[in-house]
Amino acid sequence: MTSRPNLPTETLLEMQRRMLRIRLFDERASKMVKRGYIPGTVHTSIGQEAQVVGACMALQPGDHMTGNHRSHGHPIGMGSPLGPLMAELVGKATGVCKGKGGSLHLADYAVGSLGESGITGSSIPIAVGAGLSAQVLGEKRVAICFFGDGAANQGVLYESMNLASAWKLPVIFLCENNHYALSTPAHTVTGGRIVDRAAGFGMPGVRVENGQEVLDVYEAVSEAAARARRGDGPTLVEVMTYRFREHSEGLRINVDYRDAAERDLWLARDPIKLFRAHLTEMGRAGEAEMDALEAAIAQEVEDCATFAIESPDPEESVAFQDLYSDHYELEDVL
Amino acid sequence: MSVMTYIGAIGAAQREAMQADPRVIIIGEDVEANVYGTTGESKQRAESGDFVQAFGKMRIRNTPISEEAMVGAAIGAAMTGLRPIVDLSYSSFLYMAMDQFVNQAAKNRYMFGGQSRIPVVFRSAMFYGLNTGAHHSDRPYSMFMTIPGLKILTPASAADAKGLMRSAVESDDPVLIFEAVPLWGQKEEVPDEEYRIPFGKARIRREGTDVTVVGISGSVPLALQAAETMAERGVSCEVIDPRTLVPLDSAAILESVKKTGRLVIAEPAHRTCGAAAEISALMAERAFPWLKAPIVRVTAANMQIPFSPVLERQMYPTRDKIADAIAKVAGH
């Protein structure tokens, strides 16, 4: 890392905290899937923490975010408290979505998280709409949508990029390129580079080559956010990163679709270790302070797991609420 | 009271809604030039008083031909402070945005535990019976009835269209309005003052004692004509227009069937899983002890729509088909 904006130490430490929250939350969630506390499966963001946190920390309160199936990192990156998120994964009454969303459909409107999506690419135009409301209402907020290299081949992305560009909407299209759509290598199903597609829509395209460096991501997204807030329209940011674990927990794929040398190279670029080294080398924090910070987050994650496990199950009647904003007769539903 | 056309009433409701609330915007293909006549005083372009001049291009916007992005963006805008009206023109175009309707509009409020409000209105027009061929003639409202989370409106008159449109804009849930283009030019007296028609309240279009005839969308005027014909033959028909299919005023239909013991349902959509099928099932479950004859549906066939006028005109309910059905259940 070379020259950097002189961010306050507290901001840098908060980046590390949020990356650690994602890492430890997802490690804990993985264990809870194995032990049967979490029904179904989860998709972890382990290895991609810098890409998530660098982007989220470049936003401001009031900004909006939509995500995808790799879904826990985004709300955590936006600052969502861990307890209701973990309780949602377990399916408890205290879940952030009352137990009706689960891992794939986390949303925490209190921090601008408008919802993750189990349908690849589906939440992209939702962020464009958040940009539209900002523009019409004259509010200086921006919207970011996270999507993967797989979603980059969905037509809805290009309809959305075109609309955002034509209307100069304050939107950041953030492609989390972790090189694989489940088991399919991105380069085998993608013509050209994703970032180059921005030019076709008359918007800037920026590729963050080392998406494991949180400050690299932060700088790219900060610039995109500033541009959007100025009224100059959307930006496509492609962040090169890697998921350290399997596509989803418990998934066993017999074909080794990821090259061992490639995997080793990326595993050596652990965003949390890299940033810790950066902080200590720059004299922003001592080793003991970083140890304490890690211990505090580990405790926070333990507490959120306990909270989730000990929380009550939802009342069964909750399954028949929240479909519409107004009252409706259950007789017409059942 | 003033006499208005159905399409004029939609335009008037849009104008009132735009004036009443700065969060209301209209987006869609060709809305700036008022191509279909609902974003201006008349079908003349850029006249004094048209919507672009009255409300500005920030709030009246032509979209690219990108239904998926248009619908998704309207949902996202609704979730973050606007109350968009989306003009999708032809109902057949809705399929291009199916993921957004089904996975976002219908599910977000529910699966996020009630965090979202999604006040958005999707207008589309069913151009059937007008020789536009299979890609432009669909009446797909019943497909969307099967998606919990959407509200489905099928106004059949000018006054209903205006009042329902105002309620739709003020609803905090996604509303799909299916307009019957064969009715666009039909006129009705409409109150001069602003008014809203609540969802889930059927309109009794004609009172009667022998047969209940439920008409939907463009089949409502035909049901009224059939009732007139049958009155001359001594059969008294009660004609009911549910007006909104989700929520459905099943109580009003049940009340009428208890009185008449006979039910005919006419609609321009396909037979299988149509609104008529759903109403038939509900009444079979709830009104069986009162039924004196089997329920009869008069619908479009499970067939695509041909182009040639000679071929197309046999595809939908007509006054005579409905009258025949009434005669059948009445034992005439």
Side-chain angles (χ1 to χ4, degrees), chain B residues 39-101:
Chain B
T39 48
E41 284 294 340
S42 71
K43 293 200 71 170
Q44 301 301 311
R45 289 181 193 192
E47 272 190 350
S48 159
D50 88 354
F51 278 32
V52 172
Q53 290 178 11
F55 304 111
K57 288 204 175 188
M58 186 62 87
R59 294 177 65 201
I60 302 287
R61 296 192 189 202
N62 284 348
T63 58
I65 304 176
S66 303
E67 282 84 4
E68 198 172 2
M70 184 195 317
V71 170
I75 295 163
M79 286 159 67
T80 53
L82 293 180
R83 308 187 79 87
I85 300 169
V86 186
D87 187 341
L88 283 145
S89 57
Y90 289 69
S91 296
S92 309
F93 302 166
L94 266 61
Y95 312 141
M96 295 295 291
M98 213 56 181
D99 174 61
Q100 293 301 316
F101 285 118

Side-chain angles (χ1 to χ4, degrees), chain B residues 88-297:
Chain B
L88 283 145
S89 57
Y90 289 69
S91 296
S92 309
F93 302 166
L94 266 61
Y95 312 141
M96 295 295 291
M98 213 56 181
D99 174 61
Q100 293 301 316
F101 285 118
V102 179
N103 284 313
Q104 300 290 336
K107 293 180 184 169
N108 278 357
R109 179 181 177 84
Y110 181 82
M111 69 182 182
F112 301 148
Q115 293 183 79
S116 329
R117 285 183 318 120
I118 313 177
V120 55
V121 180
F122 299 103
R123 286 182 50 221
S124 72
M126 305 185 289
F127 279 73
Y128 66 99
L130 300 164
N131 316 122
T132 52
H135 276 180
H136 279 175
S137 300
D138 282 355
R139 297 85 52 222
Y141 54 84
S142 45
M143 286 173 62
F144 290 87
M145 286 173 69
T146 68
I147 305 162
L150 304 177
K151 291 178 173 172
I152 309 298
L153 276 48
T154 48
S157 81
D160 287 349
K162 185 162 182 281
L164 289 170
M165 182 73 197
R166 289 303 304 276
S167 294
V169 174
E170 290 171 8
S171 166
D172 276 343
D173 301 309
V175 177
L176 276 66
I177 300 186
F178 292 89
E179 298 163 24
V181 175
L183 303 185
W184 265 3
Q186 292 207 1
K187 292 177 181 167
E188 188 178 29
E189 287 215 323
V190 173
D192 292 323
E193 67 277 8
E194 294 188 24
Y195 65 98
R196 283 101 179 137
I197 294 173
F199 297 168
K201 288 276 172 237
R203 177 174 171 191
I204 311 294
R205 293 292 302 257
R206 179 189 176 109
E207 290 188 10
T209 52
D210 299 331
V211 178
T212 299
V213 183
V214 174
I216 292 162
S217 183
S219 292
V220 174
L222 302 173
L224 287 167
Q225 291 166 21
E228 194 61 42
T229 303
M230 292 309 292
E232 291 160 15
R233 292 169 58 183
V235 179
S236 165
C237 293
E238 182 143 291
V239 178
I240 299 179
D241 175 4
R243 302 194 289 195
T244 69
L245 297 174
V246 180
L248 177 70
D249 190 354
S250 52
I253 300 169
L254 179 61
E255 205 52 41
S256 178
V257 173
K258 279 181 181 175
K259 180 172 67 178
T260 63
R262 299 180 180 89
L263 176 61
V264 169
I265 310 160
E267 67 165 333
H270 293 138
R271 178 176 299 260
T272 300
C273 298
E278 179 60 24
I279 293 167
S280 297
L282 284 170
M283 290 308 121
E285 287 170 347
R286 298 179 192 175
F288 191 79
W290 291 275
L291 283 172
K292 299 171 189 159
I295 298 166
V296 174
R297 287 178 285 165

Side-chain angles (χ1 to χ4, degrees), chain A residues 119-138:
Chain A
I119 307 293
T120 305
S122 184
S123 69
I124 293 169
I126 303 297
V128 173
L132 174 60
S133 70
Q135 186 185 66
V136 173
L137 297 170

